[in-house]
Amino acid sequence: GACAERGARPETPQLACASDVDRLVARCMTHERPAALVQASAGLLDAASALLGEEALLGEKRSDKIRRMLRLTDELRRYNAGLTKQVLPPLPETERLAPGEG
């Protein structure tokens, strides 16, 4: 990842570079999500979960970490979809175009 390219190394395997965490979350918002989750280290999965608001459990299996990320990114996708569906309030009657004026 970008951290390794810059020579920065996490002090422990549980720590992950912020740019790698951001990249994982971004990939999870696209069609790359399955591959991204399989390729991610346990520490990166934990860091991404923490960024999305949930801490990892001690002794948790890798499959549980991936399931958590699936759930969290599903929630984020639904949230983002809700934002894009929000519309402006309807125009008052006086500002609407009559049929044939548009």
Side-chain angles (χ1 to χ4, degrees):
C3 289
E5 292 167 7
R6 290 192 306 268
R9 291 274 181 209
E11 293 176 14
T12 69
Q14 295 301 316
L15 299 179
C17 177
S19 63
D20 288 341
V21 174
D22 291 341
R23 188 176 303 107
L24 175 60
V25 172
R27 288 182 70 198
C28 284
M29 301 304 288
T30 72
H31 66 281
E32 294 183 37
R33 179 166 77 164
L37 292 173
V38 169
Q39 293 167 359
S41 68
L44 184 55
L45 291 168
D46 288 347
S49 292
L51 178 68
L52 296 176
E54 282 193 25
E55 295 296 322
L57 302 173
L58 189 61
E60 187 176 45
K61 294 179 186 177
R62 179 179 175 77
S63 59
D64 293 329
K65 295 174 188 295
I66 290 174
R67 277 190 208 97
R68 181 186 324 101
M69 279 299 296
L70 288 168
R71 181 178 50 76
L72 291 172
T73 54
D74 279 346
E75 291 171 3
L76 186 57
R77 285 175 169 188
R78 280 193 295 275
Y79 173 79
N80 287 337
L83 290 179
T84 59
K85 289 182 181 179
Q86 288 179 356
V87 294
L88 295 173
L91 292 172
E93 286 292 325
T94 57
E95 294 181 31
R96 292 185 187 167
L97 295 177
E101 290 182 9

